[in-house]
Amino acid sequence: MTYDIFATGSLLGAHPAMRIGADWVYTDSTSTVENPSTGEVFARVPVGENGHIDAALGQASVAQRVWAKRSYADRASVLEEVVRQVDAHAEELAQIVVAEQGKTIVEARGEIEGVKGFLGYAISQKYRNIGELAAPSNRDQQLVIREEPVGVVAAIIPWNFPAAIFSRKVAPALMAGNAIIVKPSGVTPLSSLALARVFERAGVPDGLVSVITGPGRTLGAALVEHPLVSMVTVTGSTRAGQEILAGAAKKVIPVSLELGGKAPVIVFDDADLDLAVDHAFEARFMNCGQVCTCNERTYVQRGVYDEFVAKFVERTRNLVVGDPTDEGTQMGPKVSQEEWQKVKEHVDRAVASGATLEFGGGTPAGMEDSPGYWFAPTVLTNVTNDMDIVQQEVFGPVLPIIVFDEYEQVIEWANSTVYGLTAHVYTTDIRTAMSATDDLEFGEVYINRIGPEEVQGFHAGWKMSGLGGDDGIHGFERYTRRKTIYTEYARRAG
Ligand code: NAD
Protein backbone atom coordinates (compact mmCIF):
# COMPACT_ATOMS: atom_id res chain seq x y z
CA MET A 1 0.00 0.00 0.00
CA THR A 2 1.27 3.51 -0.77
CA TYR A 3 0.49 6.19 1.76
CA ASP A 4 0.07 9.88 1.15
CA ILE A 5 2.39 10.86 3.97
CA PHE A 6 0.99 14.40 3.94
CA ALA A 7 -2.70 13.44 3.99
CA THR A 8 -5.05 15.07 6.47
CA GLY A 9 -4.86 13.09 9.69
CA SER A 10 -1.45 11.61 8.82
CA LEU A 11 1.40 11.89 11.29
CA LEU A 12 3.00 14.76 9.37
CA GLY A 13 -0.13 16.47 8.08
CA ALA A 14 -0.01 18.74 5.05
CA HIS A 15 2.64 21.00 6.59
CA PRO A 16 5.18 19.35 8.91
CA ALA A 17 5.59 21.33 12.13
CA MET A 18 8.13 21.32 14.95
CA ARG A 19 7.09 19.97 18.30
CA ILE A 20 8.05 22.60 20.84
CA GLY A 21 6.86 21.49 24.28
CA ALA A 22 3.09 21.18 24.03
CA ASP A 23 2.89 23.15 20.78
CA TRP A 24 3.18 22.37 17.08
CA VAL A 25 5.09 25.28 15.58
CA TYR A 26 5.46 26.58 12.00
CA THR A 27 7.91 29.27 10.94
CA ASP A 28 7.90 31.67 8.00
CA SER A 29 11.31 30.53 7.00
CA THR A 30 11.56 26.89 5.97
CA SER A 31 14.18 24.48 4.71
CA THR A 32 13.66 21.86 2.03
CA VAL A 33 13.67 18.08 2.15
CA GLU A 34 14.64 16.17 -1.00
CA ASN A 35 13.70 12.71 -2.14
CA PRO A 36 17.08 11.06 -2.87
CA SER A 37 15.52 8.88 -5.57
CA THR A 38 14.40 11.84 -7.64
CA GLY A 39 16.33 14.83 -6.34
CA GLU A 40 12.98 16.61 -5.99
CA VAL A 41 12.01 18.80 -3.07
CA PHE A 42 8.93 17.13 -1.60
CA ALA A 43 8.64 18.80 1.81
CA ARG A 44 9.49 21.92 3.72
CA VAL A 45 10.15 22.06 7.44
CA PRO A 46 10.45 24.96 9.88
CA VAL A 47 13.78 26.55 10.63
CA GLY A 48 14.05 26.66 14.41
CA GLU A 49 15.63 29.57 16.25
CA ASN A 50 17.00 30.20 19.71
CA GLY A 51 13.56 31.30 20.96
CA HIS A 52 12.21 27.85 20.09
CA ILE A 53 15.03 26.23 22.04
CA ASP A 54 14.20 28.41 25.08
CA ALA A 55 10.50 27.51 24.83
CA ALA A 56 11.12 23.78 24.40
CA LEU A 57 13.62 23.62 27.24
CA GLY A 58 11.49 25.74 29.58
CA GLN A 59 8.56 23.36 29.17
CA ALA A 60 10.83 20.32 29.29
CA SER A 61 12.32 21.21 32.64
CA VAL A 62 8.88 21.67 34.21
CA ALA A 63 7.48 18.46 32.67
CA GLN A 64 10.58 16.48 33.64
CA ARG A 65 10.21 17.22 37.36
CA VAL A 66 6.71 15.77 37.33
CA TRP A 67 7.67 12.79 35.15
CA ALA A 68 10.66 11.90 37.35
CA LYS A 69 8.32 11.41 40.32
CA ARG A 70 6.32 8.74 38.48
CA SER A 71 7.32 5.14 39.09
CA TYR A 72 9.31 3.10 36.61
CA ALA A 73 6.27 0.85 36.11
CA ASP A 74 4.14 3.89 35.36
CA ARG A 75 6.63 5.28 32.84
CA ALA A 76 6.84 1.84 31.23
CA SER A 77 3.09 1.73 30.73
CA VAL A 78 3.24 5.06 28.87
CA LEU A 79 5.99 3.66 26.60
CA GLU A 80 3.93 0.51 26.02
CA GLU A 81 1.27 2.72 24.46
CA VAL A 82 3.97 4.32 22.28
CA VAL A 83 4.81 0.83 20.97
CA ARG A 84 1.14 0.26 20.11
CA GLN A 85 1.06 3.59 18.24
CA VAL A 86 4.27 2.75 16.33
CA ASP A 87 2.69 -0.54 15.35
CA ALA A 88 -0.46 1.21 14.19
CA HIS A 89 1.61 3.59 12.02
CA ALA A 90 4.43 1.23 11.05
CA GLU A 91 3.95 1.34 7.29
CA GLU A 92 3.43 5.11 7.26
CA LEU A 93 6.65 5.60 9.25
CA ALA A 94 8.55 3.24 6.93
CA GLN A 95 7.37 5.20 3.90
CA ILE A 96 8.50 8.47 5.45
CA VAL A 97 11.97 6.95 5.98
CA VAL A 98 12.12 5.82 2.33
CA ALA A 99 10.95 9.19 1.03
CA GLU A 100 13.51 11.27 2.88
CA GLN A 101 16.42 8.86 3.29
CA GLY A 102 16.25 6.56 0.26
CA LYS A 103 16.78 3.15 1.87
CA THR A 104 14.64 0.35 0.45
CA ILE A 105 11.14 -0.19 1.80
CA VAL A 106 12.24 -3.60 3.11
CA GLU A 107 15.10 -1.98 5.03
CA ALA A 108 12.81 0.81 6.24
CA ARG A 109 10.32 -1.69 7.66
CA GLY A 110 13.25 -3.27 9.49
CA GLU A 111 14.16 0.15 10.84
CA ILE A 112 10.66 0.62 12.28
CA GLU A 113 11.01 -2.78 13.97
CA GLY A 114 14.18 -1.29 15.45
CA VAL A 115 12.16 1.66 16.78
CA LYS A 116 10.02 -0.83 18.69
CA GLY A 117 13.06 -2.82 19.81
CA PHE A 118 14.61 0.19 21.55
CA LEU A 119 11.28 0.99 23.22
CA GLY A 120 10.94 -2.65 24.27
CA TYR A 121 14.34 -2.68 25.91
CA ALA A 122 13.61 0.57 27.77
CA ILE A 123 10.30 -0.88 28.99
CA SER A 124 12.14 -3.94 30.32
CA GLN A 125 14.02 -1.59 32.65
CA LYS A 126 10.94 -1.20 34.83
CA TYR A 127 12.42 -4.07 36.87
CA ARG A 128 15.98 -2.75 37.04
CA ASN A 129 18.01 -2.38 40.21
CA ILE A 130 18.13 1.34 40.84
CA GLY A 131 20.68 1.45 43.59
CA GLU A 132 23.22 -0.19 45.83
CA LEU A 133 23.61 -0.52 49.56
CA ALA A 134 27.23 -0.06 50.64
CA ALA A 135 28.47 -1.36 54.01
CA PRO A 136 28.46 1.65 56.39
CA SER A 137 31.46 2.24 58.64
CA ASN A 138 29.36 2.29 61.83
CA ARG A 139 26.35 0.43 63.18
CA ASP A 140 22.86 1.94 62.85
CA GLN A 141 23.72 3.69 59.66
CA GLN A 142 22.78 3.15 56.06
CA LEU A 143 24.68 4.15 52.93
CA VAL A 144 22.64 4.05 49.76
CA ILE A 145 23.85 4.94 46.27
CA ARG A 146 20.87 5.32 44.00
CA GLU A 147 20.22 6.43 40.46
CA GLU A 148 18.29 9.50 39.43
CA PRO A 149 17.46 11.02 36.05
CA VAL A 150 19.92 13.56 34.62
CA GLY A 151 17.18 16.08 33.80
CA VAL A 152 16.77 17.44 30.28
CA VAL A 153 18.69 15.66 27.53
CA ALA A 154 19.60 17.09 24.11
CA ALA A 155 19.81 14.44 21.38
CA ILE A 156 21.52 15.24 18.10
CA ILE A 157 20.95 12.58 15.47
CA PRO A 158 22.10 11.78 11.90
CA TRP A 159 20.33 10.94 8.65
CA ASN A 160 21.22 7.26 8.14
CA PHE A 161 18.63 5.77 10.54
CA PRO A 162 16.35 8.76 11.15
CA ALA A 163 13.63 6.76 12.93
CA ALA A 164 15.62 4.09 14.79
CA ILE A 165 18.18 6.48 16.25
CA PHE A 166 15.37 8.78 17.46
CA SER A 167 13.98 5.85 19.43
CA ARG A 168 17.44 4.72 20.56
CA LYS A 169 17.82 8.05 22.39
CA VAL A 170 14.25 8.92 23.39
CA ALA A 171 13.19 5.54 24.81
CA PRO A 172 15.92 5.19 27.48
CA ALA A 173 15.90 8.93 28.24
CA LEU A 174 12.17 8.85 29.07
CA MET A 175 12.29 5.55 30.90
CA ALA A 176 15.05 6.90 33.15
CA GLY A 177 12.84 9.88 34.04
CA ASN A 178 14.21 12.58 31.75
CA ALA A 179 12.77 14.97 29.18
CA ILE A 180 14.44 15.15 25.77
CA ILE A 181 14.82 17.61 22.90
CA VAL A 182 15.76 16.00 19.59
CA LYS A 183 17.53 17.83 16.79
CA PRO A 184 17.38 15.63 13.69
CA SER A 185 19.65 15.97 10.68
CA GLY A 186 18.54 18.70 8.26
CA VAL A 187 18.59 16.02 5.53
CA THR A 188 16.01 13.78 7.25
CA PRO A 189 13.87 15.80 9.66
CA LEU A 190 10.50 14.19 8.83
CA SER A 191 10.90 10.89 10.69
CA SER A 192 11.55 12.74 13.96
CA LEU A 193 8.56 15.05 13.42
CA ALA A 194 6.33 12.05 12.66
CA LEU A 195 7.59 10.18 15.71
CA ALA A 196 6.96 13.22 17.90
CA ARG A 197 3.33 12.95 16.78
CA VAL A 198 3.32 9.24 17.64
CA PHE A 199 4.53 10.05 21.16
CA GLU A 200 1.85 12.72 21.51
CA ARG A 201 -0.90 10.35 20.35
CA ALA A 202 0.34 7.74 22.82
CA GLY A 203 -0.29 10.17 25.66
CA VAL A 204 3.32 10.99 26.55
CA PRO A 205 2.95 14.13 28.69
CA ASP A 206 3.44 17.44 26.90
CA GLY A 207 6.90 18.93 27.18
CA LEU A 208 8.74 15.63 27.56
CA VAL A 209 9.58 15.16 23.89
CA SER A 210 10.35 18.13 21.64
CA VAL A 211 11.75 18.13 18.12
CA ILE A 212 13.45 21.19 16.75
CA THR A 213 14.52 21.36 13.11
CA GLY A 214 17.18 23.61 11.67
CA PRO A 215 20.87 23.92 10.89
CA GLY A 216 23.11 21.61 12.93
CA ARG A 217 26.07 23.82 13.50
CA THR A 218 24.16 26.84 14.86
CA LEU A 219 21.00 25.34 16.34
CA GLY A 220 22.75 22.20 17.60
CA ALA A 221 25.48 24.25 19.20
CA ALA A 222 22.95 26.59 20.89
CA LEU A 223 21.13 23.56 22.26
CA VAL A 224 24.29 21.99 23.65
CA GLU A 225 25.33 25.20 25.39
CA HIS A 226 21.91 26.08 26.80
CA PRO A 227 21.86 26.27 30.63
CA LEU A 228 18.78 24.00 30.91
CA VAL A 229 20.39 21.07 29.07
CA SER A 230 22.06 18.67 31.49
CA MET A 231 23.27 15.95 29.11
CA VAL A 232 23.97 15.61 25.39
CA THR A 233 23.76 12.42 23.37
CA VAL A 234 24.99 12.47 19.80
CA THR A 235 25.14 10.10 16.87
CA GLY A 236 27.02 11.54 13.92
CA SER A 237 30.42 12.18 12.43
CA THR A 238 33.59 12.44 14.47
CA ARG A 239 33.89 16.06 13.35
CA ALA A 240 30.47 16.94 14.80
CA GLY A 241 31.24 14.96 17.96
CA GLN A 242 34.42 16.92 18.56
CA GLU A 243 32.63 20.26 18.14
CA ILE A 244 29.77 19.21 20.43
CA LEU A 245 32.18 17.91 23.08
CA ALA A 246 33.97 21.26 23.06
CA GLY A 247 30.62 23.07 23.51
CA ALA A 248 29.55 20.78 26.35
CA ALA A 249 32.90 21.26 28.09
CA LYS A 250 31.95 24.89 28.74
CA LYS A 251 29.18 23.64 31.04
CA VAL A 252 30.87 20.44 32.26
CA ILE A 253 27.91 18.22 31.36
CA PRO A 254 28.05 14.55 30.35
CA VAL A 255 28.21 13.77 26.66
CA SER A 256 27.67 10.42 24.97
CA LEU A 257 29.06 10.18 21.45
CA GLU A 258 28.42 7.55 18.76
CA LEU A 259 30.65 8.63 15.92
CA GLY A 260 32.25 7.40 12.73
CA GLY A 261 33.57 3.94 11.98
CA LYS A 262 35.85 2.09 9.58
CA ALA A 263 34.87 -1.49 10.27
CA PRO A 264 37.22 -4.17 8.96
CA VAL A 265 36.06 -7.62 7.86
CA ILE A 266 38.94 -10.10 8.22
CA VAL A 267 38.71 -13.36 6.27
CA PHE A 268 41.25 -16.05 7.18
CA ASP A 269 42.22 -18.93 4.86
CA ASP A 270 40.20 -21.39 6.96
CA ALA A 271 36.96 -19.36 6.86
CA ASP A 272 33.67 -20.66 5.53
CA LEU A 273 34.19 -18.67 2.35
CA ASP A 274 30.61 -18.53 1.11
CA LEU A 275 29.44 -17.30 4.50
CA ALA A 276 32.19 -14.68 4.54
CA VAL A 277 31.29 -13.48 1.02
CA ASP A 278 27.57 -13.32 1.88
CA HIS A 279 28.18 -11.36 5.06
CA ALA A 280 30.87 -9.07 3.65
CA PHE A 281 28.45 -8.26 0.82
CA GLU A 282 25.46 -7.58 3.04
CA ALA A 283 27.51 -5.57 5.52
CA ARG A 284 28.89 -3.39 2.74
CA PHE A 285 25.79 -2.62 0.69
CA MET A 286 22.94 -2.44 3.24
CA ASN A 287 21.46 1.05 3.41
CA CYS A 288 23.69 1.93 0.43
CA GLY A 289 26.77 1.55 2.63
CA GLN A 290 25.58 4.22 5.06
CA VAL A 291 25.89 2.39 8.36
CA CYS A 292 28.51 3.11 11.01
CA THR A 293 29.16 -0.63 11.48
CA CYS A 294 29.33 -1.30 7.70
CA ASN A 295 32.12 -3.34 6.15
CA GLU A 296 34.39 -0.46 5.11
CA ARG A 297 37.45 -2.59 4.26
CA THR A 298 37.90 -6.31 3.80
CA TYR A 299 41.21 -8.05 4.46
CA VAL A 300 41.46 -11.50 2.85
CA GLN A 301 44.26 -14.00 3.48
CA ARG A 302 46.28 -14.85 0.39
CA GLY A 303 45.17 -18.49 0.13
CA VAL A 304 41.52 -17.55 -0.55
CA TYR A 305 41.96 -14.02 -1.89
CA ASP A 306 41.38 -14.72 -5.60
CA GLU A 307 38.35 -16.88 -4.94
CA PHE A 308 36.89 -14.32 -2.52
CA VAL A 309 37.34 -11.45 -4.99
CA ALA A 310 35.80 -13.45 -7.86
CA LYS A 311 32.76 -14.44 -5.80
CA PHE A 312 32.32 -10.96 -4.33
CA VAL A 313 32.52 -9.19 -7.69
CA GLU A 314 30.04 -11.67 -9.17
CA ARG A 315 27.56 -10.92 -6.36
CA THR A 316 28.13 -7.20 -6.86
CA ARG A 317 27.31 -7.34 -10.58
CA ASN A 318 23.91 -8.84 -9.75
CA LEU A 319 22.90 -6.35 -7.05
CA VAL A 320 19.60 -4.68 -7.97
CA VAL A 321 19.89 -0.90 -7.61
CA GLY A 322 16.77 1.20 -8.15
CA ASP A 323 13.50 2.57 -6.86
CA PRO A 324 13.56 1.96 -3.10
CA THR A 325 9.77 1.72 -2.93
CA ASP A 326 9.95 -1.38 -5.14
CA GLU A 327 9.95 -4.52 -2.97
CA GLY A 328 12.52 -6.19 -5.26
CA THR A 329 15.13 -3.45 -5.01
CA GLN A 330 18.24 -4.35 -3.01
CA MET A 331 19.92 -0.95 -2.84
CA GLY A 332 18.52 2.56 -3.07
CA PRO A 333 20.31 5.84 -3.79
CA LYS A 334 22.81 7.79 -1.73
CA VAL A 335 21.06 10.20 0.61
CA SER A 336 22.13 13.44 -1.09
CA GLN A 337 24.17 14.92 -3.92
CA GLU A 338 26.77 16.06 -1.37
CA GLU A 339 27.19 12.53 -0.02
CA TRP A 340 27.29 11.11 -3.58
CA GLN A 341 30.08 13.54 -4.44
CA LYS A 342 32.08 12.64 -1.30
CA VAL A 343 31.98 8.95 -2.18
CA LYS A 344 32.87 9.62 -5.82
CA GLU A 345 35.91 11.64 -4.75
CA HIS A 346 37.06 8.82 -2.45
CA VAL A 347 36.88 6.32 -5.32
CA ASP A 348 38.58 8.60 -7.83
CA ARG A 349 41.42 9.32 -5.39
CA ALA A 350 41.91 5.61 -4.73
CA VAL A 351 42.09 4.84 -8.45
CA ALA A 352 44.51 7.73 -8.98
CA SER A 353 46.69 6.23 -6.21
CA GLY A 354 46.87 2.89 -8.01
CA ALA A 355 43.77 0.91 -6.95
CA THR A 356 42.04 -1.24 -9.57
CA LEU A 357 38.35 -0.66 -10.14
CA GLU A 358 36.79 -4.14 -10.43
CA PHE A 359 33.22 -2.89 -10.67
CA GLY A 360 31.17 0.32 -10.31
CA GLY A 361 32.90 3.60 -9.54
CA GLY A 362 30.04 6.08 -9.95
CA THR A 363 26.55 6.22 -11.43
CA PRO A 364 25.37 2.69 -12.34
CA ALA A 365 25.42 1.84 -16.04
CA GLY A 366 22.06 2.66 -17.61
CA MET A 367 21.06 5.12 -14.87
CA GLU A 368 23.04 8.11 -16.17
CA ASP A 369 19.86 9.95 -17.15
CA SER A 370 17.85 9.05 -14.06
CA PRO A 371 17.47 11.84 -11.57
CA GLY A 372 18.47 10.85 -8.04
CA TYR A 373 21.73 10.07 -6.29
CA TRP A 374 22.50 6.58 -7.57
CA PHE A 375 25.87 5.03 -6.88
CA ALA A 376 26.87 1.64 -8.24
CA PRO A 377 28.13 -0.97 -5.81
CA THR A 378 31.87 -0.60 -6.18
CA VAL A 379 34.80 -2.96 -5.62
CA LEU A 380 38.46 -1.93 -5.51
CA THR A 381 41.49 -4.23 -5.46
CA ASN A 382 45.26 -3.59 -5.55
CA VAL A 383 44.69 -1.48 -2.50
CA THR A 384 47.33 -0.84 0.14
CA ASN A 385 46.60 -0.24 3.80
CA ASP A 386 47.94 3.31 3.80
CA MET A 387 45.54 4.58 1.11
CA ASP A 388 42.84 7.07 2.20
CA ILE A 389 40.16 4.63 1.00
CA VAL A 390 41.33 2.24 3.76
CA GLN A 391 42.00 4.83 6.44
CA GLN A 392 39.04 7.24 6.12
CA GLU A 393 35.33 6.57 6.51
CA VAL A 394 33.67 6.41 3.07
CA PHE A 395 30.05 5.80 4.16
CA GLY A 396 29.00 4.58 0.74
CA PRO A 397 28.76 1.35 -1.30
CA VAL A 398 32.48 0.99 -1.95
CA LEU A 399 34.62 -1.94 -0.81
CA PRO A 400 38.41 -1.96 -0.91
CA ILE A 401 39.71 -5.56 -0.68
CA ILE A 402 43.23 -5.98 0.67
CA VAL A 403 45.31 -9.16 0.62
CA PHE A 404 47.25 -10.20 3.75
CA ASP A 405 49.62 -13.02 4.72
CA GLU A 406 50.00 -13.20 8.49
CA TYR A 407 47.76 -12.88 11.55
CA GLU A 408 50.00 -10.20 13.15
CA GLN A 409 49.98 -8.14 9.97
CA VAL A 410 46.20 -8.09 9.59
CA ILE A 411 45.60 -7.26 13.24
CA GLU A 412 48.02 -4.34 12.95
CA TRP A 413 46.25 -3.12 9.80
CA ALA A 414 42.79 -3.55 11.30
CA ASN A 415 43.87 -1.46 14.31
CA SER A 416 45.64 1.14 12.18
CA THR A 417 42.83 3.68 11.67
CA VAL A 418 41.68 6.37 14.12
CA TYR A 419 38.37 4.52 14.49
CA GLY A 420 37.44 1.63 16.79
CA LEU A 421 33.72 0.90 16.52
CA THR A 422 33.17 -2.52 14.91
CA ALA A 423 35.30 -5.38 13.55
CA HIS A 424 34.32 -8.71 11.95
CA VAL A 425 36.35 -11.91 11.81
CA TYR A 426 35.79 -15.02 9.67
CA THR A 427 37.62 -18.18 10.71
CA THR A 428 36.77 -21.76 11.71
CA ASP A 429 39.69 -21.94 14.14
CA ILE A 430 38.60 -21.11 17.68
CA ARG A 431 42.16 -20.10 18.60
CA THR A 432 42.28 -17.49 15.82
CA ALA A 433 38.81 -16.23 16.75
CA MET A 434 39.65 -15.85 20.43
CA SER A 435 43.05 -14.23 19.81
CA ALA A 436 41.53 -11.76 17.38
CA THR A 437 38.82 -10.92 19.92
CA ASP A 438 41.60 -10.08 22.39
CA ASP A 439 43.78 -8.16 19.96
CA LEU A 440 41.27 -6.02 18.04
CA GLU A 441 40.93 -2.48 19.44
CA PHE A 442 37.22 -2.11 18.81
CA GLY A 443 34.16 -1.71 21.01
CA GLU A 444 32.29 -4.43 19.11
CA VAL A 445 33.68 -7.63 17.59
CA TYR A 446 31.58 -10.00 15.47
CA ILE A 447 32.88 -13.55 14.92
CA ASN A 448 31.42 -15.34 11.87
CA ARG A 449 28.41 -13.04 11.91
CA ILE A 450 27.38 -9.48 11.19
CA GLY A 451 25.00 -7.00 12.81
CA PRO A 452 22.78 -5.29 13.40
CA GLU A 453 23.81 -4.86 17.00
CA GLU A 454 21.22 -5.93 19.57
CA VAL A 455 19.35 -3.74 22.05
CA GLN A 456 20.74 -5.61 25.07
CA GLY A 457 24.36 -5.24 23.87
CA PHE A 458 26.48 -2.11 24.23
CA HIS A 459 27.14 -0.07 21.10
CA ALA A 460 30.20 1.96 22.00
CA GLY A 461 33.11 3.06 19.86
CA TRP A 462 36.71 3.06 21.00
CA LYS A 463 39.26 5.68 19.93
CA MET A 464 37.72 8.43 17.76
CA SER A 465 34.53 6.40 17.21
CA GLY A 466 33.00 7.62 20.42
CA LEU A 467 32.67 8.16 24.10
CA GLY A 468 29.98 6.63 26.26
CA GLY A 469 27.67 4.46 24.22
CA ASP A 470 24.11 3.34 23.54
CA ASP A 471 21.96 0.29 24.36
CA GLY A 472 21.70 -2.29 27.10
CA ILE A 473 22.31 -1.63 30.76
CA HIS A 474 25.47 0.38 30.09
CA GLY A 475 23.75 2.63 27.56
CA PHE A 476 20.77 3.10 29.88
CA GLU A 477 23.04 4.22 32.71
CA ARG A 478 24.15 7.21 30.62
CA TYR A 479 20.72 8.73 31.19
CA THR A 480 21.09 8.55 34.95
CA ARG A 481 23.29 10.05 37.65
CA ARG A 482 24.02 8.84 41.15
CA LYS A 483 23.05 10.24 44.54
CA THR A 484 24.57 8.88 47.76
CA ILE A 485 22.41 9.01 50.88
CA TYR A 486 23.95 8.62 54.37
CA THR A 487 21.43 7.84 57.12
CA GLU A 488 21.90 7.50 60.88
CA TYR A 489 19.17 5.63 62.77
CA ALA A 490 20.68 4.90 66.20
CA ARG A 491 17.97 5.18 68.88
CA ARG A 492 18.76 7.63 71.63
CA ALA A 493 19.24 6.19 75.09
CA GLY A 494 16.28 6.66 77.42
P1 NAD B 1 26.88 14.75 10.90
O1 NAD B 1 27.96 14.74 11.92
O2 NAD B 1 27.05 15.60 9.72
O3 NAD B 1 25.51 15.21 11.59
C1 NAD B 1 24.98 14.53 12.72
C2 NAD B 1 24.09 15.50 13.48
O4 NAD B 1 24.90 16.48 14.13
C3 NAD B 1 23.12 16.27 12.59
O5 NAD B 1 21.89 16.43 13.27
C4 NAD B 1 23.82 17.60 12.42
O6 NAD B 1 22.92 18.64 12.12
C5 NAD B 1 24.44 17.78 13.80
N1 NAD B 1 25.61 18.64 13.87
C6 NAD B 1 26.62 18.74 12.99
N2 NAD B 1 27.57 19.60 13.45
C7 NAD B 1 27.13 20.04 14.66
C8 NAD B 1 27.67 20.92 15.66
N3 NAD B 1 28.84 21.53 15.48
N4 NAD B 1 26.94 21.12 16.78
C9 NAD B 1 25.78 20.49 16.98
N5 NAD B 1 25.21 19.66 16.08
C10 NAD B 1 25.89 19.42 14.93
O7 NAD B 1 26.63 13.21 10.53
P2 NAD B 1 25.67 12.63 9.40
O8 NAD B 1 26.32 12.95 8.08
O9 NAD B 1 24.27 13.05 9.66
O10 NAD B 1 25.77 11.06 9.70
C11 NAD B 1 26.80 10.26 9.24
C12 NAD B 1 27.84 10.03 10.32
O11 NAD B 1 27.23 9.48 11.48
C13 NAD B 1 28.90 9.02 9.91
O12 NAD B 1 30.17 9.46 10.32
C14 NAD B 1 28.52 7.77 10.68
O13 NAD B 1 29.57 6.88 10.94
C15 NAD B 1 27.96 8.36 11.93
N6 NAD B 1 27.08 7.40 12.58
C16 NAD B 1 27.52 6.77 13.70
C17 NAD B 1 26.74 5.83 14.33
C18 NAD B 1 27.21 5.14 15.57
O14 NAD B 1 26.39 4.54 16.25
N7 NAD B 1 28.48 5.20 15.91
C19 NAD B 1 25.47 5.53 13.81
C20 NAD B 1 25.05 6.19 12.67
C21 NAD B 1 25.86 7.13 12.06
Side-chain angles (χ1 to χ4, degrees), residues 48 126 173 221 251 287 360 362 401 414 437 459 489:
K126 68 181 173 183
K251 287 167 44 198
N287 198 13
I401 309 180
T437 307
H459 183 56
Y489 55 88

Side-chain angles (χ1 to χ4, degrees), residues 295-333:
N295 168 16
E296 283 261 331
R297 47 191 171 128
T298 296
Y299 298 99
V300 186
Q301 205 161 12
R302 196 170 299 278
V304 290
Y305 177 80
D306 289 341
E307 192 182 348
F308 182 95
V309 171
K311 287 186 166 174
F312 194 91
V313 172
E314 186 54 31
R315 289 285 306 269
T316 305
R317 284 183 202 288
N318 294 319
L319 184 78
V320 180
V321 181
D323 180 357
T325 63
D326 186 331
E327 310 264 342
T329 296
Q330 293 171 309
M331 192 170 89

Side-chain angles (χ1 to χ4, degrees), residues 90-166:
E91 186 63 16
E92 186 178 351
L93 288 164
Q95 296 211 11
I96 293 169
V97 169
V98 175
E100 66 177 354
Q101 199 270 342
K103 61 168 56 85
T104 68
I105 183 66
V106 175
E107 291 173 322
R109 288 181 188 134
E111 179 167 348
I112 304 308
E113 282 302 307
V115 170
K116 289 194 291 176
F118 292 122
L119 284 159
Y121 183 80
I123 291 165
S124 77
Q125 293 305 294
K126 68 181 173 183
Y127 299 123
R128 68 189 270 107
N129 287 333
I130 58 163
E132 301 141 35
L133 205 56
S137 302
N138 297 296
R139 58 173 291 179
D140 298 334
Q141 291 182 343
Q142 197 181 60
L143 202 171
V144 171
I145 303 164
R146 73 166 194 227
E147 85 179 18
E148 304 222 348
V150 288
V152 180
V153 175
I156 295 177
I157 65 174
W159 48 257
N160 63 336
F161 288 94
I165 296 178
F166 179 99

Side-chain angles (χ1 to χ4, degrees), residues 249-476:
K250 293 181 195 159
K251 287 167 44 198
V252 196
I253 55 170
V255 178
S256 185
L257 303 174
E258 293 295 347
L259 307 177
K262 189 71 191 169
V265 169
I266 303 173
V267 182
F268 287 95
D269 277 343
D270 62 7
D272 175 337
L273 201 66
D274 287 332
L275 179 79
V277 170
D278 277 357
H279 285 187
F281 183 83
E282 198 182 324
R284 175 62 290 182
F285 299 124
M286 61 181 160
N287 198 13
C288 198
Q290 303 165 132
V291 186
C292 57
T293 58
C294 253
N295 168 16
E296 283 261 331
R297 47 191 171 128
T298 296
Y299 298 99
V300 186
Q301 205 161 12
R302 196 170 299 278
V304 290
Y305 177 80
D306 289 341
E307 192 182 348
F308 182 95
V309 171
K311 287 186 166 174
F312 194 91
V313 172
E314 186 54 31
R315 289 285 306 269
T316 305
R317 284 183 202 288
N318 294 319
L319 184 78
V320 180
V321 181
D323 180 357
T325 63
D326 186 331
E327 310 264 342
T329 296
Q330 293 171 309
M331 192 170 89
K334 284 287 299 170
V335 74
S336 65
Q337 175 61 36
E338 192 186 342
E339 286 294 315
W340 187 97
Q341 193 59 37
K342 250 197 256 175
V343 175
K344 177 74 178 137
E345 284 166 15
H346 271 296
V347 174
D348 290 350
R349 260 204 317 275
V351 172
S353 320
T356 303
L357 190 59
E358 298 282 350
F359 190 76
T363 306
M367 295 185 86
E368 293 82 357
D369 297 329
S370 309
Y373 311 125
W374 311 101
F375 207 101
T378 296
V379 183
L380 294 163
T381 54
N382 283 323
V383 176
T384 55
N385 195 60
D386 56 350
M387 286 185 186
D388 285 353
I389 198 87
V390 182
Q391 293 293 318
Q392 296 172 7
E393 186 181 47
V394 174
F395 224 58
V398 177
L399 185 68
I401 309 180
I402 306 116
V403 64
F404 74 93
D405 290 298
E406 302 295 337
Y407 173 90
E408 286 73 20
Q409 178 185 41
V410 78
I411 296 294
E412 188 189 323
W413 284 351
N415 289 338
S416 68
T417 77
V418 296
Y419 297 109
L421 186 57
T422 307
H424 310 80
V425 176
Y426 285 83
T427 176
T428 50
D429 183 339
I430 185 77
R431 292 166 302 186
T432 308
M434 297 312 288
S435 303
T437 307
D438 290 345
D439 295 338
L440 288 165
E441 294 164 359
F442 292 80
E444 248 167 30
V445 177
Y446 290 83
I447 306 291
N448 294 323
R449 58 163 290 194
I450 50 173
E453 58 274 15
E454 296 185 23
V455 294
Q456 69 277 34
F458 185 43
H459 183 56
W462 289 14
K463 303 186 334 195
M464 288 178 86
S465 287
L467 191 67
D470 277 327
D471 307 339
I473 48 169
H474 303 295
F476 193 90

